[in-house]
Amino acid sequence: MQGAMEDFLRALRAADVKVSPVEAIDAHLTVATVGFADRELFKDALCATLAKTAAEVTRFDETFETFFARETFQLEPPPPPGEDGEPEGMPPEVEASELAQMLLNGDVSALAQAMEAAAERAQVSSIRLSTQRSRLTRRMMEEMGLSEIEQIIAAAKKLEDARSQALVARLESGKKALTEEAQRFVDRQHELYAAESGKNLREELLARKALNAEGGIDPADLVMMQALVKKMAKRLADRYSRRRSKAQLGHLDVRRTLRKSMAYGGMPFDIIWKTKKVEKPNIVAICDVSKSVAAAAQFLLTFLYSLNEVVDRMDAFAFSGRMISVNDLMDDNKVETAILEVLKKIGFQQTDYGKSLEDFCDLHLDQIDRHTTVIFLGDARSNYADPRIDLFATIQKRCRAMIWLNPEPESYWGQGDSVMHRYERFCHVAKPCNTLGQLERIIEDVLRTYIPH
């Protein structure tokens, strides 16, 4: 049963129920304590051990029912035994095939056990793609002895007597039932171990999809990408939701060490090292929502506003021709709805970086201090207007870190009306950011630690 428990834990992980090695050990100890006789007690004990949230309880229940579901084989009952004590039509060659005997005798328990053993030998639980189902079904049936059944049927068809034809009919009926049950078995394995793999593969592809791709983003992909952004944000929030302290090994904290040693007559038994607090960041996001950058801005704002557990303060501004604060819209509406309202209000206009920076410095410059990380998203294409580098430098001097995310490749910077090379001089970090994967990595860098001023 240990192998089955390990497969069950793997199925739970595939269903996004987090099971750590310690929890896996607890699960085995729980099973050893409660046993398998009472199904409900067994299920409840494992659920209490492994599921931590209401969502995980739901996924646990679904996985448990699927993993331990066993349907009864639908086989025709065997005919009455003949004078020799064996069913009519049992030729000697059938005696050598265990599978043939199980099918002819209607031994559903033995068939179920044989299928479980064959599935283990065929490594059906390693299924990853739906296209593997037919091949694994055939491999599992071969492990059970399907080739022997097919040889017996082929040999019996060459004989024209009634007994041989009855044997063929019964074996073909049993083979059909066996195939149907094998297909259901493999389908359950796919649902347990591979149902999420296709979705995960699609998410990996979408994480690398260009946000400003020609033709925009397909609506179906857009919905999935929005869910992916929230999933990424939740993953980062779980990782960085607590304030942390980082020890500076080798840097003695003399004052705290002396204070601690007073309890020991001045002897420094406890050495205390200096530590550096890694605080939750204050973020000001300034997003270009012109046509070329609107998609990237939408996902950046969705990402940042999904990090409410990690960020101490989050202020968002959007601009195209002029700059406005979008905090109220984001607070009063769902993120997706608020972003659409922002795009309707000022999006898709001709970009004027200089005028937008003037608006920000006139109305919102006081929101920048030495604790603030400014994330600027834009392609830095000023349409040949004055980019007001002086105002950008003023913002940079007041903030703790200035990070510029540019949806365009770095080879485009400085070409045409791009003034990215002029803004770049005042940025602590300036990186291309045109996919969700790049966005996640950059935001994680911001959360991990502040970049020194």
Side-chain angles (χ1 to χ4, degrees), residues 157-230:
K157 283 183 177 180
K158 296 178 181 179
L159 305 175
E160 297 182 355
D161 59 282
R163 293 181 61 187
S164 298
Q165 297 308 310
L167 175 65
V168 169
R170 291 173 56 201
L171 286 178
E172 286 186 338
S173 175
K175 176 186 172 184
K176 180 180 178 181
L178 181 66
T179 302
E180 292 175 351
E181 178 58 29
Q183 290 173 343
R184 287 194 292 267
F185 185 93
V186 173
D187 287 344
R188 286 198 299 270
Q189 305 307 300
H190 177 268
E191 183 179 351
L192 286 169
Y193 301 110
E196 292 294 319
S197 62
K199 180 182 177 182
N200 293 337
L201 178 61
R202 184 61 179 162
E203 287 182 350
E204 290 178 7
L205 295 175
L206 291 177
R208 298 193 296 268
K209 183 179 179 65
L211 300 180
N212 60 350
E214 292 293 332
I217 300 174
D218 185 86
D221 288 345
L222 180 62
V223 173
M224 194 168 184
M225 290 173 77
Q226 288 173 341
L228 178 58
V229 166
K230 294 179 179 179

Side-chain angles (χ1 to χ4, degrees), residues 6-7 78 86 89 91 116 128 143 150 152 171 176 200 230 260 283 336 342 364 367 392 402 418 435:
E6 291 174 356
D7 287 341
E86 296 291 335
E116 295 280 351
R128 289 294 175 268
E143 290 288 344
E150 292 176 340
I152 294 172
L171 286 178
K176 180 180 178 181
N200 293 337
K230 294 179 179 179
K260 192 79 172 180
I283 293 179
E336 296 84 356
V342 172
H364 310 293
Q367 294 179 307
F392 189 78
M402 173 70 78
S418 173
T435 67

Side-chain angles (χ1 to χ4, degrees), residues 7 21 31 47 85 166-167 237 310 358 373 409 425:
D7 287 341
V31 172
C47 183
L167 175 65
V310 183
E358 288 180 15
T373 296
R425 293 180 298 144

Side-chain angles (χ1 to χ4, degrees), residues 277-290:
K277 287 186 178 180
V278 182
E279 300 287 349
K280 293 182 179 180
N282 298 330
I283 293 179
V284 169
I286 303 176
C287 300
D288 180 355
V289 291
S290 60

Side-chain angles (χ1 to χ4, degrees), residues 3-119:
M5 275 298 300
E6 291 174 356
D7 287 341
F8 178 59
L9 296 177
R10 188 157 58 86
L12 287 177
R13 293 187 180 104
D16 201 21
V17 177
K18 297 179 181 179
V19 181
S20 67
V22 174
E23 290 169 340
I25 294 173
D26 290 342
H28 282 283
L29 294 175
T30 299
V31 172
T33 302
V34 302
F36 311 101
D38 190 327
R39 178 186 173 90
E40 289 303 317
L41 177 61
F42 172 63
K43 177 181 176 181
D44 292 342
L46 279 181
C47 183
T49 303
L50 300 173
K52 279 79 69 179
T53 65
E56 286 193 354
V57 170
T58 301
R59 292 193 290 270
F60 176 92
D61 289 341
E62 294 172 353
T63 304
F64 184 92
E65 295 301 330
T66 303
F67 186 88
F68 291 103
R70 296 295 183 270
E71 298 180 7
T72 305
F73 279 81
Q74 301 297 323
L75 295 176
E76 294 182 4
E83 296 179 358
D84 57 355
E86 296 291 335
E88 293 286 347
M90 285 278 283
E93 59 266 24
V94 176
E95 299 287 347
S97 173
E98 294 183 3
L99 180 59
Q101 293 182 48
M102 287 187 286
L103 291 175
L104 294 174
N105 293 329
D107 193 345
V108 293
S109 298
L111 283 169
Q113 294 177 11
M115 183 169 289
E116 295 280 351

